Amino acid sequence: PAQKQAIAEAALKYVKPEGKVFQYGTAGFRMKADLLNTVVFAVGLLAGLRSKKLSGQWIGVMVTASHNPAEDNGVKLIDPMGEMLEAEWETYATKLANAPLEKIADVYDELIKEIDVKMENPARVAFARDTRASGSRLVGVLNAALTATEVEFADLKFMTTPQLHYVVRCKNTLGTQYEYGEPTEQGYYEKLAEAFKRVMKGVKVKGALTVDCANGVGGPKLRELIKYLPSAEESGLDIKVVNDDVINPDSLNFECGADYVKTKQRAPPSSKAGALDRCASLDGDADRLVYYYVDESSVFRLLDGDRIATLAASFIGDLARNAGIAQKLKIGVVQTAYANGSSTDYIEKVLKLPVICTNTGVKHLHHAALRFDVGVYFEANGHGTVTFSENALKVIKSTEPQSPAQQRSLESLQALVDLINQAVGDALSDMLLVEAILAHKGWSTKEWLATYTDLPSRLVRVEVNDRSIFKAYDAERKLESPAGLQIKIESLQSRYNKGRSFARASGTEDAVRVYAEAASRSEADDLATRVANAVR
Ligand code: 16G
Ligand code: ZN
C-alpha cells in the first residue's frame, strides 16, 4: 500500500498525452520526445517487475531513438542475457504505458497478480542513454519510477545500445561459468581490444578507415575504444573519426549515419573521402554498421548488412574447415526478406551454408540464429552479429590441434568469440570484425564487393488508410490479406527477369513498405512502382 501510494504520487508529476495510444514495437517505444514522460515512467515500473520475476537479475533500460531525428526519443527493455525483451512482456509494457495516470498504480497491482511476481524478490535495473538532449529529462523520469518502487539501479550515463546490452549480460553472468566480461564500459573496451589483438596475430590492416558516427554516442565511444586498440603502426588499423559532433543537438543523424547512407544509397554530403577510400557509418546508437566507398568512376558502392554477413560467414566457415572442426559445427546464416537475392544465392551456392529467413526485427533474427552452432545474422540495414552455441564454444575450446595451421585457426575462432558482441548487433564490434577479416583475406573493399553482384533493388514507402489489414506470412514474403493482393504481386514479379517483390506493414511507421528487385535497374524500379500501385 505504501508503495502504491508512492507510485501514484510520483505519477502525478507527469501529463499523459491525450488520445495517444502507445505500442511497444520492434524497437520498444519510439516517438517525439515530448510525448514520452509517462511511457518512460511505465517502463521504469515494468523493469522492476521484470527483474523481480527473474529473481533479481539485472534488467536493462535504454533511452534512445537510434537513427531517428534528434527531436525523437525512445525506450526499450533489455533481458538478462542482453537480449531483447521477451515478447509476452511487450504486451505488459503496452498495457502499463496506456494506463491513465490516476490508475497506473492499480494497473501495476493487477499486473503483479497476472504475471505472478514475487514482490519480496530484489529488483535491479541498469540504464543508459544516447546523446539526445531529451535524454536527461527521460532518465529523470526513469529514476523517479525506480525510486518509487525501491528498485536498486545503476545509472550508466551515456552508452551505445550494445554497450548496455553487454553490461547487462556481464552483470548477470558474473561469477558463473558463463561469465561474459567485466560489467563496465572499460571492461567492454578491454575485452574487444584484447580479442582484436589476438585475431590480428600475424596480419595487418591495409589503408585507413573513415568512420562516420552519425553525430551520436558512437563518436565519443569509438574515440575511447581507439585508446585501447593497438596502434596504427602495430596493427595497421588507422581509424579516422568523422561526424562525431555531440554538442550541436540537431546534427544527430542529420545527413549522415548508417540509415542515411543505406536509404539514400550515397555517402554523407560532408564526406571528404577520396576514390576507393574505405568508409563506414554507424547509426545514432551504434548498433548498425554499413561500409562503402566511391569507385574510380565516382560510383557509390555500398557494403551493407548482407555483405557483412557473407564476409563473416565465409571467414568463419574457412576457419572451421582449417581447424578441422567443420563437421562438428552447424554454421548458418539468418536474413530477412530485405536481403538481396544475390547474397542469399551466394551463401547457399558458393559458401554452401543454410539460410533461414525470418520476420524483420532483431529479436526474430537473433532467435533463429540460436538454432545453429554458429549463427550469423544481419539485417540488410547493418544490424547484426554472430552467436555461438554452448556446443560451439566447447568444440572450439577442447579440440586438440594436429598442426600449427589448425592451431592458428582454433586460436582465431577463440578470439572471434570474444571480439563479437553475442548479446546484440554492435557496430563497434562488427567494425573490428570486418577490419580483421579483410586483413586476413588481404582484401580491399573492392575485392569484398566482387564476391557477388547485388541485384538492383528498390524500396518504396506507401501511405495507406489502414496498414493493419496488410497481414503477412512466410517470413513477411507473402500477404494473406487483403485478399487477392498476393496473387497480383506474384503475377507482376513473374514478368521480370529475377523479379522478386513483397509488401509489408512497417512496424515503426504508419506505412506499408514495398521491396522489389530484378535483373536490371529499370526492371526493379518498374516492378516496385507497379506493386506499390497495387497496394494503394
Ligand atoms: C526496428 C528494428 C530493426 C528493423 C526495423 C524495421 C530492432 C532493435 N530494430 O528498428 O531491426 O529493421 O525496425 O522497421 O529490432 P520497419 O518495420 O519500419 O520496416
Ligand atoms: Zn540503432
Side-chain angles (χ1 to χ4, degrees):
Q3 186 160 88
K4 204 168 163 186
Q5 179 86 17
I7 294 173
E9 268 168 31
L12 285 181
K13 287 205 208 85
Y14 310 109
V15 181
K16 195 160 169 282
E18 230 171 283
K20 177 108 182 122
V21 180
F22 302 112
Q23 169 95 41
Y24 195 100
T26 34
F29 295 105
R30 198 181 285 183
M31 65 202 79
K32 293 274 164 288
D34 307 345
L35 305 174
L36 269 167
N37 276 349
T38 54
V39 171
V40 170
F41 188 78
V43 167
L45 297 183
L46 193 71
L49 291 186
R50 179 81 182 137
S51 175
K52 279 184 194 286
K53 179 71 188 176
L54 300 174
S55 314
Q57 292 191 79
W58 287 88
I59 294 297
V61 179
M62 183 69 197
V63 176
T64 177
S66 187
H67 57 278
N68 282 38
E71 63 271 20
D72 289 9
N73 214 328
V75 62
K76 56 184 168 188
L77 288 157
I78 301 168
D79 262 354
M81 283 306 109
E83 288 159 310
M84 304 285 161
L85 177 68
E86 187 186 293
E88 208 188 331
W89 280 67
E90 293 182 4
T91 58
Y92 305 144
T94 300
K95 196 166 176 179
L96 208 51
N98 287 298
L101 280 184
E102 61 280 8
K103 293 225 180 83
I104 197 163
D106 297 322
V107 177
Y108 177 81
D109 270 358
E110 285 163 27
L111 271 182
I112 292 170
K113 289 193 195 89
E114 186 182 338
I115 309 168
D116 189 20
V117 181
K118 294 203 173 47
M119 291 306 282
E120 64 275 19
N121 281 352
R124 302 185 178 94
V125 171
F127 58 84
R129 62 182 176 104
D130 70 15
T131 53
R132 283 160 210 272
S134 57
S136 72
R137 165 176 54 88
L138 294 174
V139 156
V141 177
L142 195 56
N143 196 316
L146 296 171
T147 304
T149 45
E150 291 170 28
V151 171
E152 177 187 343
F153 62 79
D155 179 357
L156 301 170
K157 315 282 174 184
F158 296 109
M159 274 198 173
T160 70
T161 297
Q163 283 179 332
L164 181 60
H165 283 255
Y166 163 89
V167 170
V168 168
R169 186 170 175 138
C170 290
K171 278 179 174 290
N172 289 312
T173 52
L174 208 62
T176 74
Q177 57 167 321
Y178 302 107
E179 203 160 277
Y180 195 61
E182 275 295 313
T184 59
E185 193 178 319
Q186 189 184 341
Y188 170 90
Y189 298 127
E190 282 168 353
K191 182 174 177 181
L192 287 194
E194 193 268 338
F196 182 70
K197 273 180 214 155
R198 281 193 282 140
V199 177
M200 291 297 292
K201 228 169 107 182
V203 295
K204 262 191 164 189
V205 174
K206 270 188 285 180
L209 169 69
T210 301
V211 183
D212 152 29
C213 300
N215 293 318
V217 67
K221 300 309 180 188
L222 174 55
R223 286 199 185 281
E224 199 56 32
L225 171 63
I226 290 171
K227 295 181 191 161
Y228 292 79
L229 292 172
S231 68
E233 294 82 66
E234 269 174 86
S235 70
L237 181 61
D238 177 12
I239 300 175
K240 298 193 189 333
V241 181
V242 299
N243 296 332
D244 64 334
D245 176 3
V246 293
I247 306 298
N248 170 14
D250 297 330
S251 63
L252 175 67
N253 295 321
F254 182 71
E255 297 194 330
C256 61
D259 195 63
Y260 176 90
V261 169
K262 169 77 184 164
T263 44
K264 302 275 187 222
Q265 298 275 322
R266 58 159 299 173
S270 60
S271 171
K272 294 185 181 64
L276 301 181
D277 286 352
R278 188 164 75 257
C279 300
S281 284
L282 323 177
D283 72 341
D285 62 340
D287 61 358
R288 287 194 197 178
L289 173 75
V290 295
Y291 270 71
Y292 50 95
Y293 67 96
V294 176
D295 72 12
E296 302 94 324
S297 327
S298 302
V299 178
F300 175 78
R301 303 290 187 180
L302 181 68
L303 296 139
D304 60 5
D306 299 344
R307 295 283 179 175
I308 299 175
T310 52
L311 186 72
S314 111
F315 185 59
I316 293 170
D318 286 348
L319 285 179
R321 260 188 303 279
N322 297 340
I325 56 174
Q327 302 309 319
K328 293 186 194 153
L329 295 185
K330 222 169 108 206
I331 304 176
V333 179
V334 184
Q335 303 185 309
T336 72
Y338 291 109
N340 196 279
S342 293
S343 72
T344 313
D345 259 10
Y346 174 77
I347 298 162
E348 287 177 338
K349 299 194 179 125
V350 180
L351 301 181
K352 299 204 182 340
L353 295 173
V355 177
I356 297 180
C357 182
T358 72
N359 283 4
T360 293
V362 172
K363 62 182 176 199
H364 302 293
L365 288 106
H366 189 94
H367 193 75
L370 298 178
R371 282 154 56 184
F372 296 110
D373 285 314
V374 182
V376 180
Y377 77 82
F378 273 87
E379 290 193 297
N381 62 27
H383 186 119
T385 190
V386 184
T387 59
F388 294 87
S389 72
E390 230 172 283
N391 175 53
L393 298 182
K394 212 168 78 201
V395 169
I396 294 169
K397 221 183 202 150
S398 64
T399 299
E400 280 298 326
Q402 307 297 316
S403 70
Q406 275 192 5
Q407 179 169 355
R408 264 201 309 280
S409 295
L410 281 168
E411 282 170 3
S412 291
L413 278 170
Q414 187 78 58
L416 285 189
V417 169
D418 293 328
L419 181 63
I420 294 167
N421 189 336
Q422 288 170 60
V424 76
D426 181 338
L428 298 181
S429 153
D430 289 341
M431 178 196 80
L432 293 179
L433 174 68
V434 169
E435 292 298 302
I437 298 176
L438 292 179
H440 272 270
K441 289 185 178 274
W443 282 0
S444 67
T445 41
K446 220 173 147 177
E447 285 148 321
W448 179 12
L449 189 76
T451 47
Y452 64 86
T453 307
D454 271 326
L455 290 170
S457 68
R458 180 65 63 201
L459 197 58
V460 185
R461 185 179 182 279
V462 187
E463 309 252 358
V464 294
N465 277 336
D466 178 10
R467 78 187 202 275
S468 71
I469 60 168
F470 292 83
K471 292 202 171 63
Y473 69 105
D474 189 25
E476 298 179 323
R477 289 175 288 195
K478 292 188 175 127
L479 282 174
E480 64 177 32
S481 114
L485 184 53
Q486 184 55 35
I487 293 179
K488 229 185 234 168
I489 294 175
E490 278 168 29
S491 121
L492 285 170
Q493 73 183 4
S494 69
R495 295 186 213 160
Y496 299 87
N497 191 11
K498 298 204 172 171
R500 180 172 73 91
S501 183
F502 64 90
R504 60 173 275 278
S506 160
T508 63
E509 288 174 50
D510 194 8
V512 167
R513 297 193 202 287
V514 170
Y515 174 91
E517 63 182 33
S520 69
R521 163 66 35 224
S522 59
E523 284 174 293
D525 288 351
D526 204 41
L527 176 56
T529 308
R530 281 171 201 270
V531 172
N533 284 336
V535 164
R536 276 190 190 101

